């Protein structure tokens, strides 16, 4: 039936195997090259670093899991939509981030560290009220005499990030760093206005839609009528001709690292002022005003009765016809910050704690994490992480760094339970990376620094 197709498209946004950028384990490994992406003041001891291709991915689906939606009945997998809807809260969230790090390079020149890098980044964000799937699946009869909001807030974004950074050891215990990022947009679809409210009259069952809903798109959405709607946004799609588009922007990172004996502190703020101006293949679609439609339980009737589908949709087309324009627009990159503390308990054991915040789409998201590391030998370091994020306490992570000569391999997840039981998990997270490190850089101390030590 049509409603199954609509439902599966909607739910599939949250089940992609490849949005929350809360990377909570990498910042603890201060000697790891990837830690420079979370704090530009962190740099390995080696003089030269070459970062080879790596991947970071994070997926978050709040309130429901795969097993909440798909249940087993008489040995068969069936979709239990009503059960999933019952588990939703008033507001729900699906987020996904995919970073494909292509290549990066760093060099240490005494107290000065320089680095260059490129990454392909895809972000996804969908915030939706419970009333949206209720209307789509169960119809509007349950809301007679009520006005219910149901507009989703979405943002799908893809861009190239070219970065250049530097760090400098100002004092024997203080290193500061910064990074500038040039952003080249690949594609975007976003909703700056999300007000959709449906009123079902208890008199003659008249429907009234109050709308101030706007969808902006660049190279992603093309609407030429309800029968000709094209959506083209692919996570991880790499095309060289999109590396330098006319959709451009800038962002800045700042960070500091302080060391006092066995104790050290790190603080960083990432993507300051991050914004992309969209100018290429831009389309804007808006529903604004008040619309009326006669009839009870329209959504359910359309989806259930295929014989009446054509007439009902023809009527809705005439009433709810979006206005199309081509105005350039801008979208923001999430602003992130990290504050962490580490303690070197012994040569082999290190402990740490971290506080993370992210500001995005008018909301602030936070997380707390604890970490322990064990250096088994010069070849292998293992780590464990426990975190509180998105109002959940069941986040257990594992990390491993293997060093074989100049080759450094890193693998981490902030939620190992996803690997053990993915069907009951609300989030998945992993990072894998490969680096080449050359030349141990000896510290340069002047007379004042020697006296300090």
């Amino acid at each position: 039936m049509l409603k199954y197709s609509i439902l599966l498209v909607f739910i599939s946004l949250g089940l992609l195997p490849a949005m929350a950028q809360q990377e909570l384990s990498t910042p603890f490994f201060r000697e790891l090259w990837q830690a420079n992406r979370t704090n530009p003041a962190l740099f390995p001891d080696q003089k030269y670093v070459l970062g080879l291709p790596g991947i970071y991915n994070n997926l978050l689906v709040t309130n429901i899991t795969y097993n909440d939606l798909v249940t087993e009945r008489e040995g068969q997998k069936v979709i239990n939509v009503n059960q999933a809807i019952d588990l939703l809260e008033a507001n729900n969230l699906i987020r996904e981030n995919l970073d494909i790090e292509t290549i990066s390079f760093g060099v240490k020149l005494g107290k000065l560290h320089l680095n260059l890098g490129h990454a392909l980044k895809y972000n996804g964000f969908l915030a939706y009220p419970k009333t949206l799937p209720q209307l789509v699946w169960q119809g509007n009869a349950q809301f007679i005499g009520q006005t219910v909001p149901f507009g989703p807030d979405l943002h799908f974004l893809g861009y190239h990030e070219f970065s250049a950074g530097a760090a400098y050891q100002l004092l024997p215990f203080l290193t500061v760093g910064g990074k500038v990022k040039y952003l080249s947009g690949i594609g975007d679809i976003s909703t700056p206005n999300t007000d959709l409210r449906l009123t079902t009259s208890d008199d003659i069952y008249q429907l009234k839609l109050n709308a101030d809903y706007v969808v902006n798109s660049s190279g992603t959405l093309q609407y030429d009528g309800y029968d000709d709607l094209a959506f083209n946004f692919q996570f991880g799609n790499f095309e060289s001709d999109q590396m330098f588009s006319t959709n451009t922007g800038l962002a800045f990172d700042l960070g500091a690292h302080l060391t006092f004996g066995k104790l050290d502190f790190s603080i960083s703020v990432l993507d300051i002022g991050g914004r992309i101006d969209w100018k290429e293949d831009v389309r804007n679609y808006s529903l604004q005003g008040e619309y009326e439609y006669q009839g009870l339980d329209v959504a359910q009737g359309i989806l259930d009765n295929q014989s009446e589908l054509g007439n009902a949709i023809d009527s809705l087309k005439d009433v709810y016809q979006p206005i199309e324009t081509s105005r350039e627009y801008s979208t923001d990159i999430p602003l992130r910050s990290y504050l962490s503390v580490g303690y070197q308990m012994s040569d082999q054991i290190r402990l740490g704690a971290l506080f993370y915040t992210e500001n995005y789409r008018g909301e602030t998201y936070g997380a707390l994490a604890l970490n322990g590391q064990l250096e088994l030998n010069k070849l292998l370091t293992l780590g464990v992480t426990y975190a509180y994020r998105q109002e959940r306490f069941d986040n257990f992570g594992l990390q491993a760094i293997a060093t074989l000569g100049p080759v450094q391999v890193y693998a981490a997840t902030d939620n190992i339970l996803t690997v053990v039981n993915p069907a009951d998990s609300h989030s998945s997270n992993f990072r894998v990376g490969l680096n080449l490190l050359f030349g141990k850089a000896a510290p340069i101390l002047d007379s004042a620094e020697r006296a300090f030590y």
Side-chain angles (χ1 to χ4, degrees):
M1 297 176 66
L2 178 62
K3 66 181 179 182
Y4 281 94
S5 300
I6 294 176
L7 175 77
L8 289 175
V9 169
F10 179 75
I11 294 298
S12 67
L13 293 173
L15 298 180
L16 296 169
M19 172 183 339
Q21 291 220 64
Q22 301 169 356
E23 185 172 7
L24 303 180
S25 57
T26 304
F28 289 113
F29 293 83
R30 58 183 182 177
E31 294 299 325
L32 183 69
W33 176 232
Q34 280 74 15
N36 180 264
R37 297 187 178 276
T38 64
N39 187 333
L42 299 179
F43 202 92
D45 283 340
Q46 284 72 18
K47 186 173 183 179
Y48 302 103
V49 181
L50 179 63
L52 299 178
I55 296 177
Y56 170 73
N57 180 80
N58 198 351
L59 168 67
L60 169 71
V61 182
T62 63
N63 301 321
I64 60 172
T65 66
Y66 176 84
N67 277 344
D68 294 329
L69 177 63
V70 179
T71 58
E72 189 169 316
R73 184 181 303 162
E74 298 178 355
Q76 299 292 324
K77 294 288 186 179
V78 296
I79 298 176
N80 192 336
V81 182
N82 291 322
Q83 172 180 283
I85 290 177
D86 288 341
L87 294 172
L88 294 175
E89 295 185 358
N91 296 293
N92 307 275
L93 182 65
I94 302 173
R95 295 202 59 187
E96 185 174 4
N97 297 102
L98 173 64
D99 295 355
I100 302 175
E101 299 160 358
T102 56
I103 195 166
S104 56
F105 175 75
V107 59
K108 180 179 289 188
L109 305 172
K111 299 180 182 180
L112 179 65
H113 314 156
L114 302 175
N115 62 84
L116 298 170
H118 169 265
L120 184 65
K121 297 198 170 186
Y122 285 88
N123 298 338
F125 176 99
L126 173 62
Y128 64 97
K130 182 177 181 177
T131 51
L132 178 59
Q134 283 179 309
L135 285 170
V136 170
W137 184 261
Q138 299 169 338
N140 62 304
Q142 60 189 307
F143 300 118
I144 292 176
Q146 300 180 48
T147 298
V148 294
F150 66 97
D153 181 15
L154 60 91
H155 190 196
F156 293 88
L157 165 69
Y159 62 96
H160 291 272
E161 178 187 278
F162 301 88
S163 63
Y168 188 76
Q169 185 181 351
L170 284 176
L171 299 169
F173 59 88
L174 173 63
T175 299
V176 296
K179 189 177 293 187
V180 59
K181 303 173 179 179
Y182 175 80
L183 313 177
S184 177
I186 299 171
D188 176 86
I189 179 170
S190 54
T191 53
N193 298 12
T194 62
D195 184 20
L196 288 175
R197 286 170 289 126
L198 183 68
T199 302
T200 305
S201 170
D202 56 3
D203 183 13
I204 57 174
Y205 305 128
Q206 185 182 53
L207 291 179
K208 182 184 295 184
L209 175 68
N210 293 93
D212 182 13
Y213 196 82
V214 177
V215 178
N216 291 328
S217 170
S218 174
T220 302
L221 183 66
Q222 184 172 350
Y223 171 88
D224 294 316
Y226 287 92
D227 298 324
D228 191 2
L229 176 64
F231 178 78
N232 181 27
F233 189 93
Q234 298 177 349
F235 270 74
N237 185 36
F238 184 94
E239 295 183 10
S240 59
D241 60 348
Q242 295 178 317
M243 290 187 69
F244 299 98
S245 70
T246 58
N247 307 313
T248 60
L250 289 174
F252 302 90
D253 296 348
L254 294 175
H257 182 233
L258 297 92
T259 303
F260 303 98
K262 295 183 176 182
L263 194 65
D264 66 275
F265 300 87
S266 292
I267 184 170
S268 61
V269 183
L270 310 180
D271 292 320
I272 301 170
R275 171 174 293 190
I276 298 178
D277 299 320
W278 299 96
K279 304 176 181 179
E280 190 174 313
D281 192 19
V282 170
R283 291 180 173 86
N284 327 101
Y285 303 98
S286 63
L287 274 177
Q288 293 180 320
E290 188 175 283
Y291 307 83
E292 292 185 353
Y293 183 86
Q294 202 76 18
L296 171 66
D297 212 11
V298 173
Q300 185 70 12
I302 290 175
L303 297 171
D304 275 342
N305 193 336
Q306 297 295 301
S307 64
E308 298 181 3
L309 177 61
N311 292 334
I313 287 184
D314 287 340
S315 298
L316 291 175
K317 287 179 183 178
D318 295 333
V319 176
Y320 307 127
Q321 193 63 245
I323 300 172
E324 180 179 347
T325 56
S326 297
R327 297 189 303 269
E328 298 177 359
Y329 66 97
S330 300
T331 54
D332 294 333
I333 307 298
L335 177 70
R336 296 171 289 148
S337 63
Y338 289 91
L339 175 63
S340 64
V341 58
Y343 180 73
Q344 194 70 40
M345 180 175 290
S346 67
D347 290 341
Q348 289 78 35
I349 299 175
R350 176 176 168 81
L351 304 176
L354 176 148
F355 174 63
Y356 169 90
T357 62
E358 179 184 27
N359 298 306
Y360 186 47
R361 309 291 287 180
E363 298 288 341
T364 299
Y365 304 92
L368 296 169
L370 301 175
N371 176 264
Q373 300 172 30
L374 175 62
E375 184 179 331
L376 294 179
N377 49 53
K378 296 299 182 182
L379 302 180
L380 182 63
T381 298
L382 301 178
V384 294
T385 301
Y386 173 72
Y388 168 78
R389 60 198 292 180
Q390 293 301 138
E391 300 181 356
R392 298 191 65 88
F393 293 89
D394 54 349
N395 299 283
F396 299 90
L398 295 177
Q399 305 86 40
I401 302 176
T403 305
L404 303 173
V407 180
Q408 183 184 68
V409 181
Y410 176 60
T413 176
D414 289 346
N415 191 351
I416 193 63
L417 298 180
T418 303
V419 179
V420 178
N421 189 13
D424 286 317
S425 178
H426 289 272
S427 65
S428 67
N429 172 288
F430 72 88
R431 174 185 279 281
V432 292
L434 178 65
N435 309 310
L436 298 178
L437 302 93
F438 303 97
K440 188 74 170 180
I444 299 177
L445 304 178
D446 56 27
S447 58
E449 292 170 344
R450 293 189 189 95
F452 179 88
Y453 283 111

